[in-house]
Amino acid sequence: MQPNDIAHLVTLGPPTLSPDGRQAVVAATGIDLDDDEYRSALWIVATDGSAPPRRLTRGKHDSEPRYSPDGAWLAFLASTDDGKPQLHLLPTAGGEALEVTDLPLGAGAPRWSPDSSAIAFTARVPDTDRYGTNDKIPADKEPPRRITGLTYRRDNVGFLTDRRSHVFVVPLADDPAASEARQVTFGDADDTDVEWASDDRLLFLSARHDGREHDRIQDVFEVASDGTGQRRLTDTTLSIEGVQVTDDPATLLVVAEPYDHDGGWLARNSGLWRLEVGDSPARPVRLTDAETVHVGASWIVLDGDRALVAVENRGAVDLVSVAIDGSGVSTVAAGRRQITAIDRAAGSLVATYSDTTTSGELARLENGGLVGLTDFGAPARPVLLPIHELEATAPDGYPVHGFLAVPEGDGPHPVLLMIHGGPFAQYGWTNLDEAQVYAAAGYAVVYGNPRGSSGYGESHGRFIVGDVGARQAPDLTALLEAALERPDLDDTRLGVLGGSHGGYMTTWLIGHDHRFRAALSERAVNAIDSFEGSSDIGWDFADALYGTDPEQRREQSPLTHAGEIRTPLLIVHSEHDWRCPIEQAQRLYVALRKRDAEVEMLLFPGEGHELSRSGVPSHRIARLDAVIEWFDRHLRKA
């Protein structure tokens, strides 16, 4: 796979099923290299496979489809060059799509009321004279922002306090095109993840408690569709990520993780919880095991008296069924794949997934397996290399799991150790474009899930807390050494690279281990002291991962050990990265250049922390080209 081949990769959004279960609609997103942008369109798919998938819309950016419960309408978001998605309605009986909203910053994903009479969504509401609401005031001449809390901005979103997210409702009259969205929540808080609890009652997530700027807790709130009767339903102990009403209106389900105010919240497994809603805030009951089950997505789909959720499992994401009464958990679909979203209607169940041969497909669930309904991955499949499973043993005897991509040919091939971010995340059974591109360029790529990763139990994830580099490094090098047992890999030509936490570990490794001939550290944390104040999440993430002791932080900071770096290093960073701000790259670069170390810095304008996954396509390609050129320069020379 060549860098330009990312144009053949198609990813899918959540599917929606028609009420009779016969048709599914899904948004497919790909890259237009000529216009240097992403394009997304809606596709309609027969769930019995009786007809080939058919493109349903022709807009530039169509997404988030959702059938109405009565089957008469398909709601979706569409945006043009302004990048502001607006709510549209497409009659399923035929006809043109109707634009329903015209909001200054666009609308969020639609949610239908059970009786199909209204649609709810969330949208950001800009302060007066901000974000283009007054075309006479350019952005650089807007009034100053007064900041009073800790959570005031977010990478790839921007400032939050002057454009809060609130709940809107669109009542659909006889003429839907004449309907107007009305705002039903207000205040200095972000309201998200709206769902209907009944025909006239809404649920949403928000942080409205005292002291909310010092934690990550979100509660479930209830409000009538006319904006009255707002109340909190939960007890302010969980960081809630998703909510779903059950057939019993008094019982709610949430995906959440417990929050420890003393800093122990990081790398905790998210679980499924049941809430019995009464006159007082509900105390949650956990339905999944805290140590072994990590619910890796916020969606919940009801299946009678059970709930279907996504669970991470050794690089896979399985579909798991959980009894609402707490009587048991069972696996519905598992395998070497990652299930990303599902929908269920009239006995039909469809899922979107990815695996090592595709970035996204839609399938029907049948007898515990997936029956493919699309083949979006076909254009890229001929250039994909197989992925091998890798098992290793750390020096303390702990098993470490990972993956290996090997180039074609006999070798011996130079080797790259690639490290994921998070750190509570996982590499796995999916089409990882970076591994494919580097392997096609002639490099064996070793990547895996050392302790600190998710999907292997909570104790696996929390092992590195407080001594991050020293505790994770042995697992990473064990994976590398296990791969090097193959005779077709060259243990004299080794490189290491990673982004975010992976960049942190790259810089850490080359400050302590001189086996690598070249390294590439991207969007990294290098200095914990300044990361705490400069990052959008640093105010509590730094305490939770690295601890609060200044000397402990200094020892864990890769910048502290920069004087020991002898490996040629390319530092890659985005100029608008607010997660790991650019000063993290600059401090490391200056420390190395001052002693004439071999170091270069590559900066991408206009990009944030997500450059490698969702940056401008030309920048993504330039980044991949730069990675290959850097390692070619150092690992292929005599």
Side-chain angles (χ1 to χ4, degrees):
M1 178 175 173
Q2 302 302 310
N4 278 19
D5 287 330
I6 65 171
H8 298 311
L9 304 181
V10 174
T11 58
L12 302 185
T16 181
L17 275 170
S18 58
D20 61 10
R22 294 180 179 179
Q23 293 181 320
V25 175
V26 67
T29 300
I31 290 174
D32 184 331
L33 290 182
D34 291 335
D35 289 340
D36 198 17
E37 66 176 6
Y38 297 89
R39 297 288 179 90
S40 57
L42 305 186
W43 289 73
I44 189 165
V45 183
T47 57
D48 63 0
S50 59
R54 176 173 58 87
R55 185 167 176 172
L56 186 61
T57 63
R58 297 286 171 179
K60 295 181 69 174
H61 307 289
D62 300 334
S63 64
E64 299 292 345
R66 184 64 67 99
Y67 273 106
S68 62
D70 63 9
W73 297 95
L74 183 71
F76 66 100
L77 300 180
S79 61
T80 53
D81 292 332
D82 65 2
K84 298 171 183 176
Q86 302 295 347
L87 179 63
H88 287 65
L89 286 176
L90 182 67
T92 57
E96 296 295 321
L98 307 172
E99 186 175 70
V100 178
T101 62
D102 185 19
L103 297 172
L105 298 183
R111 296 291 183 264
W112 284 95
S113 64
D115 64 1
S116 301
S117 68
I119 298 174
F121 58 88
T122 60
R124 292 202 172 273
V125 181
D127 284 356
T128 303
D129 293 336
R130 285 203 186 275
Y131 302 104
T133 56
N134 185 338
D135 58 12
K136 297 180 181 179
I137 303 178
D140 59 354
K141 292 186 178 180
E142 290 181 355
R145 294 179 173 89
R146 186 178 299 276
I147 306 300
T148 59
L150 290 168
T151 305
Y152 63 91
R153 60 188 178 125
R154 186 177 305 148
D155 184 69
N156 268 16
V157 175
F159 289 99
L160 305 176
T161 55
D162 51 13
R163 48 174 171 181
R164 289 297 191 187
S165 174
H166 291 300
V167 176
F168 286 73
V169 172
V170 179
L172 299 181
D174 293 335
D175 179 10
S179 302
E180 292 189 9
R182 61 169 183 252
Q183 185 177 338
V184 299
T185 65
F186 301 85
D188 186 24
D190 280 329
D191 306 323
T192 64
D193 299 89
V194 64
E195 298 287 349
W196 289 88
S198 65
D199 288 339
D200 58 1
R201 189 167 64 100
L202 294 160
L203 305 175
F204 64 93
L205 303 182
S206 192
R208 292 172 171 261
H209 55 283
D210 293 339
R212 64 184 180 271
E213 71 167 293
H214 296 285
D215 60 45
R216 292 171 181 263
I217 290 172
Q218 283 198 122
D219 280 306
V220 180
F221 286 79
E222 175 187 72
V223 67
S225 58
D226 63 2
T228 61
Q230 181 175 302
R231 67 182 182 119
R232 179 169 59 88
L233 300 181
T234 51
D235 67 345
T236 317
T237 59
L238 298 176
S239 179
I240 298 176
E241 303 158 6
V243 60
Q244 176 64 54
V245 68
T246 69
D247 292 337
D248 177 359
T251 302
L252 303 180
L253 299 174
V254 297
V255 173
E257 60 184 66
Y259 191 90
D260 182 348
H261 285 268
D262 294 327
W265 58 268
L266 190 67
R268 296 294 187 190
N269 279 345
S270 292
L272 184 68
W273 306 67
R274 185 183 71 240
L275 306 170
E276 303 297 339
V277 179
D279 295 332
S280 300
R283 291 210 168 268
V285 175
R286 191 165 191 155
L287 302 177
T288 54
D289 183 71
E291 168 59 29
T292 60
V293 177
H294 176 51
V295 179
S298 62
W299 50 262
I300 307 164
V301 173
L302 290 181
D303 184 14
D305 59 358
R306 304 181 71 87
L308 301 173
V309 292
V311 173
E312 292 187 5
N313 177 20
R314 291 176 56 83
V317 179
D318 299 337
L319 183 62
V320 169
S321 175
V322 182
I324 296 173
D325 64 5
S327 60
V329 176
S330 61
T331 300
V332 177
R336 292 183 168 185
R337 69 176 76 90
Q338 296 187 350
I339 291 176
T340 52
I342 67 169
D343 198 19
R344 180 181 177 278
S348 293
L349 178 61
V350 295
T352 52
Y353 72 94
S354 63
D355 62 24
T356 59
T357 70
T358 181
S359 297
E361 304 293 352
L362 181 71
R364 178 179 75 252
L365 187 72
E366 191 173 286
N367 299 323
L370 298 184
V371 179
L373 298 173
T374 61
D375 196 14
F376 289 111
R381 198 166 293 124
V383 298
L384 298 182
L385 293 167
I387 301 300
H388 307 277
E389 197 167 16
L390 189 62
E391 302 280 356
T393 303
D396 63 356
Y398 191 86
V400 187
H401 181 232
F403 307 90
L404 174 66
V406 181
E408 295 178 333
D410 296 332
H413 307 291
V415 182
L416 301 180
L417 173 63
M418 188 167 66
I419 310 168
H420 70 62
F424 196 58
Q426 65 167 0
Y427 279 138
W429 298 109
T430 188
N431 181 14
L432 183 58
D433 58 347
E434 294 191 65
Q436 290 290 336
V437 167
Y438 306 151
Y443 296 94
V445 185
V446 179
Y447 58 107
N449 297 317
R451 278 171 283 188
S453 305
S454 61
Y456 297 78
E458 190 169 284
S459 59
H460 180 99
R462 290 193 55 76
F463 177 78
I464 67 171
V465 170
D467 194 7
V468 175
R471 290 186 180 177
Q472 191 172 79
D475 285 12
L476 290 166
T477 54
L479 277 172
L480 176 62
E481 288 162 4
L484 291 174
E485 294 177 3
R486 291 177 53 124
D488 58 344
L489 303 191
D490 188 345
D491 62 2
T492 69
R493 293 186 293 160
L494 304 179
V496 59
L497 73 161
S500 196
H501 167 75
Y504 166 97
M505 284 307 305
T506 295
T507 316
W508 173 273
L509 281 172
I510 61 175
H512 295 80
D513 187 335
H514 303 302
R515 76 180 75 188
F516 300 101
R517 284 174 51 174
L520 187 149
S521 177
E522 181 176 15
R523 60 184 188 278
V525 177
N526 292 309
I528 299 166
D529 57 353
S530 58
F531 169 80
E532 179 180 33
S534 63
S535 168
D536 61 345
I537 63 171
W539 58 272
D540 70 340
F541 187 91
D543 289 352
L545 183 57
Y546 308 110
T548 58
D549 178 73
E551 180 56 28
Q552 189 180 21
R553 287 184 169 195
R554 191 194 72 79
E555 176 59 27
Q556 290 180 84
S557 294
L559 184 64
T560 299
H561 310 282
E564 301 300 318
I565 292 176
R566 301 198 293 269
T567 305
L569 176 64
L570 177 62
I571 300 170
V572 179
H573 222 93
S574 296
E575 293 181 0
H576 293 177
D577 190 335
W578 284 3
R579 184 62 38 85
C580 297
I582 193 172
E583 56 91 12
Q584 294 287 307
Q586 293 165 327
R587 292 185 67 183
L588 178 62
Y589 176 75
V590 169
L592 294 175
R593 283 301 307 149
K594 284 181 69 175
R595 63 179 181 84
D596 288 327
E598 187 171 354
V599 61
E600 297 178 13
M601 186 162 60
L602 183 68
L603 300 180
F604 284 86
E607 298 288 356
H609 196 66
E610 297 300 307
L611 162 64
S612 65
R613 293 175 282 265
S614 59
V616 173
S618 60
H619 282 169
R620 288 179 62 186
I621 292 170
R623 172 187 167 275
L624 292 170
D625 285 336
V627 174
I628 294 169
E629 188 278 331
W630 177 255
F631 286 113
D632 281 352
R633 194 192 312 175
H634 294 281
L635 300 189
R636 294 190 182 279
K637 64 184 180 182

